[in-house]
Amino acid sequence: MVIAESRLSLAPEEIHDDEPLNGDLLHLNSLGFVGMLVHLEDALDVELPDDLFVGRTFKTVDDLVDVVAEGTRGTEALR
Amino acid sequence: MNTVSPPASWRSVLPHLDEPLPPDQSPESPAGGSDGVAVNLPFALVRQSTQNREFWDIPAEVFDAYRAFRPTPLWRARRFEDAVGARVPIYVKYEGGNISGSHKLNTALAQAHYYAKAGVKELVTGTGAGQWGTALAAACAMFGLRCRVFMVGTSLQKKPYRGTLMRALGATVHASPSDLTDVAARVGGGVNSLALAIGEAVEYAGRTEGAAFCIGSGETYSILHQSVIGLEAIDQLAELEATVDSVVGCVGAGSNFGGIALPFFADAATTGTECPRLVAAESSTTPKLTRGVYAYDKTDATGVSPMEAMYTIGSSYPIPDSHSAGLRFHGAAKVISAMRHRDQVTAQAVGQVEALQAGQTFTRSEMVLPAPESGHALAVAARLAADGGSSRGVVACVSGHGYLDLSAYQQLLDGELTTEPPAEQALVTAMDRLQPVPGLAIAGSGHAF
């Protein structure tokens, strides 16, 4: 999804965990980023809480993985 | 007397569009650069903008706030019909009866609720004529948030009591261009555009802890929130056993027009009935839907926000100071623009003299003082009802009251109000470098690009 959002043709393994989300390779803006998270919610069948996002800055692919994992834990705790 | 209740859900038009909206494009100057991607939008609003879900439950806190002023009245304006020589009935839906004085409180309350829930302490925004700033100030007061408003300086000068009301509601108000931001310093003096006011708000919020920028009326989620207007109108017309074949709203960015009109589109799509003609009434000073191009453009002057597919006269177009009403935005909301591109909505431009005259006629005939913006919708409703453009009836949204816009009416009464169509060359220059929206099928006659 990160690759598609950046309009690139790459294999997922070519993206490293410490790759900047908005750098030389990937080009994500904030609305595209959160739009992508909506798709991730659908794909993973989770609901990410609002307060995970407002006021936060996401720098690398790892940050994205962390926030989804954090949100997923929150959802599971609610179940 | 209407007995209709306010709706319990907002209704989205997105599931009824033939194809998805064109995706946003990366901004000209991405914010943060290697510092990453900053997120300051409640996730609920993102979902409402991107998911193809039709009905969205209105949160209990927002519904309770709505109950203070909804349902708003809808009536047949018989004396206005007589005054304008109407051949068919004109119904009006009045959104001015709340503390902010306009429809914008419908989405301001929803947005403030979601931002507060997401932990934001202060909302910062830009406003043109002041309705949005006033609505957000009221909504922030309701949900315990601080509020900071950058208002187009010439508008604030002409409408000082807008500033007073916002301050009375607890907001901090700055005339734009201000001396608080780099974006204002870069463009220098003499620029009075909503794009700059929004740009100042974006920049200020971006560097202030606990603050978030909150955009006005053009976003897809704000149009969703405004669907309460059209949903109520459909029920109220049914209760009156009235049928209309034209729905009219004024367009700044598009939330008022979207609010009154798009539920009719969704309703017709669901029931398999013919959709009334949906007519956007815009200012001839900012004629994006009638003279603009369908292109990617900035939503503000900073260049850090995503580029959106919109009908636009160019975000760099200098709007003349003589323009009295709101409707100052250079572009139309992306959902309205996409529907315009497919001829699912139409548009008519109205000069400010005709709009204020329609407003004055409405004041005398219906005993309601409409906002100058609403005067644009009333002028188009009068045209449609009088010239045969409508054969069964018209419903128009009176988006707000005009008590804080009396200076414009005074100009009209003094004969000082003029209508200045935009200079052709200035339009060409402002639109010249825009990138056309590719790949969206054109239905019907099509428009520029």
Side-chain angles (χ1 to χ4, degrees), chain B residues 19-44:
Chain B
E19 52 192 328
L21 299 178
D24 294 347
Q25 291 188 345
S26 294
E28 287 180 338
S29 319
S34 58
D35 289 337
V37 182
V39 177
N40 252 329
L41 188 66
F43 216 39

Side-chain angles (χ1 to χ4, degrees), chain B residues 34-221:
Chain B
S34 58
D35 289 337
V37 182
V39 177
N40 252 329
L41 188 66
F43 216 39
L45 297 177
V46 179
R47 291 191 192 97
Q48 291 171 359
S49 292
T50 55
Q51 287 187 334
N52 257 3
R53 203 165 105 196
E54 183 159 9
F55 293 100
W56 298 80
D57 290 344
I58 299 174
E61 298 90 335
V62 178
F63 186 80
D64 287 346
Y66 281 174
R67 285 306 300 249
F69 62 97
R70 305 208 70 85
T72 60
L74 178 144
W75 71 94
R76 181 173 172 184
R78 291 179 186 271
R79 285 166 54 89
F80 182 66
E81 289 170 16
D82 291 342
V84 299
R87 299 175 183 176
V88 298
I90 299 174
Y91 299 90
V92 290
K93 175 79 168 155
Y94 181 55
E95 290 291 314
N98 64 67
I99 177 64
S100 78
S102 83
H103 70 289
K104 297 199 173 189
L105 192 59
N106 296 321
T107 184
L109 285 166
Q111 291 185 42
H113 163 74
Y114 288 123
Y115 276 100
K117 210 172 148 204
V120 167
K121 304 299 179 199
E122 177 177 356
L123 289 178
V124 188
T125 197
T127 191
Q131 280 97 342
W132 170 246
T134 312
L136 193 66
C140 285
M142 172 70 78
F143 290 112
L145 294 164
R146 295 194 304 274
C147 183
R148 186 176 299 272
V149 180
F150 289 85
M151 180 166 171
V152 172
T154 49
S155 294
L156 185 57
Q157 210 170 23
K158 287 177 185 168
K159 302 170 184 181
Y161 294 123
R162 278 274 171 215
T164 304
L165 180 52
M166 285 185 259
R167 292 185 187 104
L169 285 162
T172 303
V173 183
H174 306 286
S176 174
S178 75
D179 57 4
L180 297 173
T181 64
D182 294 339
V183 65
R186 273 202 305 276
V187 300
V191 175
N192 287 287
S193 76
L194 180 52
L196 178 59
I198 293 173
E200 289 208 82
V202 169
E203 182 188 324
Y204 191 95
R207 63 168 192 245
T208 306
E209 184 71 26
F213 166 68
C214 185
I215 200 163
S217 59
E219 293 302 312
T220 306
Y221 53 76

Side-chain angles (χ1 to χ4, degrees), chain A residues 7 20-23 27-35 37-38 41-42 47-51 53-59, chain B residues 23-27 30-31 33-44 46-47 50-51 114 117-118 120 306 308 334:
Chain A
R7 295 179 171 77
L21 291 169
N22 194 0
H27 314 285
L28 269 70
N29 60 54
S30 59
L31 198 63
F33 179 72
V34 288
L37 287 165
V38 171
E41 276 192 328
D42 290 342
E47 184 155 320
L48 304 172
D50 280 356
D51 58 6
F53 301 102
V54 173
R56 268 173 84 159
T57 299
F58 301 86
K59 295 184 178 178
Chain B
D24 294 347
Q25 291 188 345
S26 294
S34 58
D35 289 337
V37 182
V39 177
N40 252 329
L41 188 66
F43 216 39
V46 179
R47 291 191 192 97
T50 55
Q51 287 187 334
Y114 288 123
K117 210 172 148 204
V120 167
E308 296 187 4
K334 51 191 172 186

Side-chain angles (χ1 to χ4, degrees), chain A residues 37-71:
Chain A
L37 287 165
V38 171
H39 294 311
L40 271 173
E41 276 192 328
D42 290 342
L44 301 174
D45 191 25
V46 296
E47 184 155 320
L48 304 172
D50 280 356
D51 58 6
L52 278 182
F53 301 102
V54 173
R56 268 173 84 159
T57 299
F58 301 86
K59 295 184 178 178
T60 65
V61 172
D62 242 356
D63 291 344
L64 170 62
V65 173
D66 284 350
V67 79
V68 173
E70 195 180 332

